Amino acid sequence: MGLIILIIWFSLIIGIPFGCFGSYERTLLSVQKQKALFVFGDSLFDPGNNNYINTTTQFQANWSPYGESFFNPPTGRFCDGRIIPDFIAEYAELPLVPSYFEIGKDHFVHGVNFASGGAGCLVETFRGFVIDLKTQLKYFKKVTKDLKNKFGRKKSKQLLSNAVYIFSAGNNDYFNFDATYPKHEYANMVIGNLTSVIKGIYKEGGRKFVILSLGPLGCTPGSRALNFQQGNKSGNCIQQLTTLAKIHNSALPKMLKQLEQKLPGFKYSLFDFFKVASERINNPSKYGFKTSKTACCGTGPFRGIYSCGGKRQVKEYKLCKNVKDYLFFDSGHLTEMVYKQVAELLWNGTVDVIQPYNLKSFFHLPA
């Protein structure tokens, strides 16, 4: 029952608007050397895709104070400002990667963001309210078809093979954990679905994949608030959730190495988001924050009730005075400052957090 309550608070670990592009002729000449970023996953990466689907406000964030540090009006990002793919696009000298529902006719040669707040690797995770990973793959296939129609098979193949494909996926599957399954068996199903989607992108021409491990899921303000309300007045992390994340993370390297062995030209980079997030949660002042337990926006213990902006089931919320002091913006999502630090490590981090390639080298790696 506890996990069900937890789901309602922060089921969305999710990213993005778009820039302008040159003429068709100019695009055609440059497309073979074109850098592109395709984004898949959940609320860590969602740029506002959930604005366009038939869902509830539990799975949206397109109102104030979301976006307040950068976007006006809010875009639907589950953050006070920019999220990880926004910064990666900036470092790669790309426009902001557009939401799938905002790509228009030509706005896909620099990549597309398919991520959806609340989405999981499993189709069953918040079915009917989100764009699950399998459906994100279906949308990607529509984009590749458009690319082939526009530029021809040869040029589109080169663009797709040079592009980088980045994933934040699995978080919501564990917030939505089905306790009728043994933990490892459940994790194998999640990893299996993720593997299937990666293979689907590979079949369409993708070759360079970046996977984020899961963070310490039991240490969000929402988890601490739930623990508090269940009698643990110290507000400690929920170890069951963090254990599930660790089981998932331990399976990722093996899965990626197997794909590398089986699929010619397949390249990957694995980012240790668990380590990076844990370091900041355990020692916030080292990274420029004053608190890692309490959210900037929300209500209840640790502001861990998922009410930021007053548009969800709980209407009451409080907003901090200085968001830069906080690791978490709401009950389950980090602030722009944290996402920028994460993106910097993704871009030029060392092997202790990202391997075998950081994104700076990965973008320039020949397919």
Side-chain angles (χ1 to χ4, degrees):
M1 182 63 185
L3 283 180
I4 293 171
I5 297 170
L6 181 63
I7 289 159
I8 293 172
W9 284 340
F10 50 94
S11 59
L12 318 136
I13 306 250
I14 323 190
I16 309 189
F18 56 85
C20 302
F21 303 89
S23 68
Y24 172 79
E25 292 80 7
R26 184 178 178 184
T27 303
L28 187 62
L29 288 169
S30 63
V31 72
Q32 285 178 285
K33 295 182 179 180
Q34 179 69 55
K35 288 184 289 187
L37 178 65
F38 290 93
V39 183
F40 299 82
D42 50 34
S43 58
L44 229 67
F45 286 177
D46 184 354
N49 278 312
N50 282 8
N51 299 348
Y52 297 91
I53 65 174
N54 184 18
T55 187
T56 72
T57 55
Q58 294 298 117
F59 300 92
Q60 294 175 322
N62 55 339
W63 56 81
S64 180
Y66 288 103
E68 64 177 9
S69 298
F70 190 81
F71 298 101
N72 184 22
T75 59
R77 288 163 172 79
F78 294 76
C79 180
D80 62 293
R82 289 162 291 180
I83 52 179
I84 292 166
D86 298 331
F87 291 109
I88 298 302
E90 178 186 331
Y91 304 154
E93 299 180 335
L94 294 169
L96 286 177
V97 182
S99 153
Y100 171 72
F101 295 104
E102 296 174 348
I103 55 177
K105 289 184 178 180
D106 300 325
H107 299 142
F108 49 70
V109 294
H110 296 288
V112 180
N113 190 322
F114 303 92
S116 169
C121 298
L122 302 178
V123 175
E124 296 80 7
T125 298
F126 304 117
R127 187 199 294 266
F129 295 97
V130 301
I131 308 164
D132 64 86
L133 208 56
K134 188 176 179 181
T135 303
Q136 292 179 35
L137 172 61
K138 184 176 77 172
Y139 291 164
F140 172 71
K141 289 178 179 179
K142 289 183 179 180
V143 169
T144 62
K145 184 179 179 181
D146 288 343
L147 282 168
K148 289 169 187 174
N149 289 339
K150 190 172 181 66
F151 301 115
R153 188 169 295 274
K154 184 179 179 181
K155 288 183 173 65
S156 61
K157 180 181 178 182
Q158 190 150 4
L159 185 149
L160 291 166
S161 64
N162 283 333
V164 171
Y165 301 82
I166 188 168
F167 285 78
S168 166
N171 297 281
N172 295 296
D173 298 301
Y174 298 106
F175 285 135
N176 199 30
F177 174 59
D178 185 346
T180 62
Y181 289 94
K183 292 184 179 70
H184 285 84
E185 183 180 335
Y186 187 84
N188 287 338
M189 291 194 302
V190 175
I191 293 287
N193 277 29
L194 176 59
T195 304
S196 177
V197 170
I198 290 172
K199 286 180 176 178
I201 295 170
Y202 176 90
K203 190 175 180 180
E204 292 294 313
R207 293 296 180 267
K208 299 192 286 189
F209 296 83
V210 181
I211 311 295
L212 271 65
S213 71
L214 304 185
L217 302 180
C219 295
T220 65
S223 293
R224 294 183 192 276
L226 178 61
N227 226 3
F228 183 92
Q229 291 186 336
Q230 291 181 335
N232 185 340
K233 299 306 180 183
S234 63
N236 291 336
C237 302
I238 296 179
Q239 292 305 321
Q240 181 188 4
L241 275 171
T242 300
T243 297
L244 287 167
K246 288 179 177 178
I247 292 170
H248 176 95
N249 292 344
S250 67
L252 287 174
K254 183 180 179 182
M255 177 267 279
L256 291 166
K257 286 173 184 174
Q258 286 177 343
L259 289 173
E260 184 181 44
Q261 291 166 2
K262 292 178 181 178
L263 304 177
F266 177 90
K267 298 179 179 69
Y268 73 88
S269 194
L270 179 58
F271 181 74
D272 193 348
F273 185 63
F274 187 96
K275 176 181 179 180
V276 171
S278 295
E279 287 174 344
R280 284 154 180 76
I281 288 169
N282 295 332
N283 194 0
S285 60
K286 181 180 177 181
Y287 299 95
F289 304 100
K290 290 185 178 179
T291 180
S292 61
K293 289 185 176 182
T294 299
C296 169
C297 186
T299 192
F302 308 101
R303 294 194 193 121
I305 293 176
Y306 188 48
S307 65
C308 186
K311 301 280 189 180
R312 303 189 180 103
Q313 290 179 354
V314 177
K315 305 305 179 188
E316 179 189 349
Y317 75 97
K318 293 180 180 179
L319 182 66
C320 67
K321 290 182 179 179
N322 187 1
V323 67
K324 292 182 179 180
D325 291 340
Y326 289 76
L327 201 72
F328 284 91
F329 183 62
D330 67 13
S331 64
H333 303 100
L334 300 163
T335 61
E336 180 185 76
M337 287 270 293
V338 185
Y339 286 143
K340 184 177 183 181
Q341 291 181 9
V342 171
E344 287 170 350
L345 291 171
L346 272 160
W347 184 250
N348 58 18
T350 52
V351 292
D352 60 319
V353 292
I354 185 166
Q355 56 178 317
Y357 311 98
N358 59 32
L359 264 64
K360 185 176 182 179
S361 60
F362 211 32
F363 265 98
H364 295 100
L365 193 70

